Amino acid sequence: MICSLDEFLEEFYLVHFGCWFIGSVIVFTFAGLFSAYYRVSSHRQKAILAKFQKEE
């Protein structure tokens, strides 16, 4: 099946943009989860350190 160049480019662009969009969403999701986990763990470490300092 031979389609015109315009149709091919439009389809290729949509597929390429869709893959790029999905990839960026996945990357941003992982970055958000990682930063949230890092913030929670650093906050937890500070709380544990404060608890130990109080006990001393």
Side-chain angles (χ1 to χ4, degrees):
M1 186 174 132
I2 298 169
C3 61
S4 68
L5 188 63
D6 286 340
E7 283 178 28
F8 172 75
L9 283 175
E10 192 175 320
E11 202 149 311
F12 175 78
Y13 176 76
L14 282 173
V15 169
H16 185 71
F17 182 75
C19 290
W20 178 82
F21 182 72
I22 290 167
S24 62
V25 166
I26 290 169
V27 168
F28 276 115
T29 304
F30 273 111
L33 285 173
F34 182 74
S35 63
Y37 173 76
Y38 181 75
R39 253 184 257 134
V40 168
S41 63
S42 65
H43 181 71
R44 195 174 290 161
Q45 285 175 352
K46 284 177 190 168
I48 290 169
L49 282 173
K51 197 183 285 183
F52 276 123
Q53 286 172 356
K54 279 181 187 174
E55 286 175 1
E56 287 174 3

